[in-house]
Amino acid sequence: MTNMLQDIAPYKLDNHYDPEKRPDENSFIIAFRGSLREREILIKTGSEEGSFLIPRLSDFAHADDNKSISCEIGTDNLVYAFSIDEERFFLSIDQELTSDCFADEGGKGTLVYRKFLELRKENLKPRHYVFAIYTAFHLYEWYDTSRFCGKCGSSNKHDDNERALVCPKCGNRIYPRINPAVIIGVTDKETNKLILTKYRTGFGQNALVAGFTEIGETLEETVKREVMEEVGLEVTNIRYYKSQPWGMASDILSGFYCDVAGDKEIRMDESELKYAEWVSPEDIVLQVPDYSLTNEMMRVYKEKGYAGTV
Ligand SMILES: [Zn+2]
C-alpha cells in the first residue's frame, strides 16, 4: 500500500556522486530561482493537466549556438545531482536562466518558472520526477546557502571526489545538511483514536504531531518532548514505523507511533497549532497530495485502526 514520495519502484535513484559526469543534450536540467521562501522551479509546459516536464539541455539555447543570444547556460554551472535509472539530472547553480536561454523553436514547449511550494499542493505525475525535484531542491538549498566558508568567509570550491564543498584558504569542509525530524502518530488503544493536528501557519491540511530533533537527543526523546510540547501528553510504547527523505525542508523524517500514557486530555500549544483532536479512523481526512509519510501514517490508521500500528 505504500505510496510515499520516495517509493518510485521500478525506477531507482542512484545518488552516487560523480563529478566526472557531464551533461548531454538529453540530460535533465533542474533550475531554481528566487529567495528562500519564494523558490521557483523552471518547468516545461505543454504536458497534460496534473503532470509536468523537467526541461532537458536540448530545450535551452546555448550561447555558442548563436552569438546574439545572451544566455550563457554554462556547463560549469551544471552540477551533477543524481540519476534515476539511465536518466541524469543536473542542477543549475550560481546562474539564473532567463528567457534568453529558452529555445522556442521546433515545438519544444515553453519553459516557465512556477512557485515550488505550490507544486506541493498538487498530485503531480510522474511521481518519480516529483521525487527528483524534491531531492534536487534539497541539494540546491545546500549549494545556494554554502557559497562561502563559514569560518573564514572565502569562496568554497567543489571537492573533486565527494559531494562536499571545501574552503581553499582554511581547509574547512562541509557536507550536505540533512535535518532529522520525527512524525508522531499518538494512539489511544482503548478508544481506537489517533491525534490529528493542524499547524497555525503554512500547510493547511491535517497532520500529525511533528518536530525537529535537538542536539543531544535520541529520536525517542524527540518523540516524547514534541508530544508534550504540542499536545501536553505523556507517551509510552514508542514504535518505529518508516522514514522519508523530505527535500522540501532538507529533512530526514522518522515516523513513530506511540501510546498515550495516563491523562488523555489534550493541552494544545496554541502558538504552533490551531487544531489538535483525538479522531476515530473513519473520521480521518487525508492529505492531498498523498505522498507524505504523515499521510501514509494517517492512512494506515484510517484503514486498520490501532491494529495497523503495532
Ligand atoms: Zn575558510
Side-chain angles (χ1 to χ4, degrees):
M1 70 181 283
T2 188
N3 191 32
M4 289 190 284
L5 185 67
Q6 71 275 17
D7 298 326
I8 60 170
Y11 303 102
K12 195 169 177 349
L13 175 77
D14 177 2
N15 62 2
H16 173 69
Y17 180 64
D18 185 352
E20 300 297 311
K21 283 204 168 85
R22 301 311 311 156
D24 62 25
E25 291 295 293
N26 280 321
S27 299
F28 285 116
I29 306 298
I30 302 189
F32 296 98
R33 73 171 185 189
S35 61
L36 214 54
R37 301 299 302 167
E38 297 280 311
R39 294 284 191 227
E40 293 182 315
I41 182 171
L42 192 63
I43 58 168
K44 203 171 152 180
T45 60
S47 43
E48 59 184 282
E49 195 172 344
S51 72
F52 72 105
L53 294 169
I54 301 170
R56 296 179 190 267
L57 187 58
S58 56
D59 292 315
F60 294 91
H62 306 301
D64 44 6
D65 289 348
N66 179 343
K67 296 297 179 212
S68 68
I69 290 174
S70 58
C71 168
E72 308 256 350
I73 179 165
T75 47
D76 287 349
N77 293 98
L78 298 177
V79 174
Y80 173 68
F82 46 77
S83 298
I84 294 180
D85 291 357
E86 297 307 310
E87 297 191 305
R88 293 177 180 182
F89 294 77
F90 287 81
L91 204 52
S92 167
I93 60 168
D94 298 335
Q95 64 180 348
E96 183 172 326
L97 301 175
T98 63
S99 55
D100 290 337
C101 304
F102 307 160
D104 54 1
E105 289 175 23
K108 286 172 174 170
T110 308
L111 302 184
V112 290
Y113 279 101
R114 276 203 50 189
K115 280 222 171 73
F116 188 63
L117 285 169
E118 281 178 8
L119 288 181
R120 178 179 174 178
K121 297 174 187 160
E122 300 174 29
N123 258 325
L124 287 174
K125 295 176 290 189
R127 183 63 60 87
H128 67 292
Y129 289 165
V130 179
F131 178 50
I133 62 171
Y134 268 58
T135 306
F137 184 78
H138 189 164
L139 271 176
Y140 178 81
E141 290 296 316
W142 177 67
Y143 279 117
D144 193 51
T145 55
S146 307
R147 290 196 179 91
F148 302 103
C149 173
K151 215 169 166 184
C152 77
S154 304
S155 289
N156 283 323
K157 300 267 182 268
H158 296 261
D159 185 82
D160 291 336
N161 301 309
E162 56 182 356
R163 180 138 0 240
L165 292 167
V166 187
C167 173
K169 195 170 173 197
C170 76
N172 184 32
R173 173 177 290 267
I174 59 167
Y175 294 94
R177 192 184 67 179
I178 307 173
N179 305 316
V182 297
I183 305 289
I184 311 157
V186 184
T187 58
D188 181 1
K189 192 175 181 179
E190 276 179 12
T191 60
N192 193 27
K193 287 182 176 177
L194 175 75
I195 293 181
L196 296 189
T197 67
K198 280 184 183 170
Y199 296 108
R200 183 149 289 284
T201 56
F203 192 64
Q205 304 186 44
N206 281 329
L208 298 172
V209 174
F212 289 105
T213 300
E214 302 279 3
I215 287 173
E217 198 172 59
T218 64
L219 296 176
E220 291 83 354
E221 286 165 344
T222 311
V223 168
K224 288 185 176 179
R225 178 180 52 75
E226 285 292 343
V227 176
M228 180 53 74
E229 284 176 10
E230 290 192 9
V231 292
L233 298 174
E234 304 260 7
V235 294
T236 184
N237 191 21
I238 296 169
R239 46 211 189 266
Y240 176 70
Y241 177 63
K242 286 179 185 175
S243 64
Q244 176 171 55
W246 193 246
M248 175 72 76
S250 305
D251 293 346
I252 175 71
L253 306 174
S254 299
F256 293 88
Y257 290 102
C258 57
D259 294 344
V260 63
D263 185 8
K264 297 174 187 174
E265 191 182 335
I266 293 172
R267 291 174 297 280
M268 184 177 77
D269 175 4
E270 294 187 359
S271 66
E272 189 160 349
L273 302 177
K274 67 177 173 195
Y275 169 90
E277 293 289 337
W278 288 107
V279 178
S280 296
E282 63 274 19
D283 296 327
I284 293 175
V285 177
L286 298 175
Q287 296 175 351
V288 179
D290 70 351
Y291 51 55
S292 71
L293 173 62
T294 299
N295 197 64
E296 179 165 309
M297 290 175 68
M298 293 195 301
R299 185 151 49 91
V300 164
Y301 211 88
K302 186 176 179 69
E303 292 174 3
K304 297 179 184 166
Y306 184 86
T309 73
V310 291

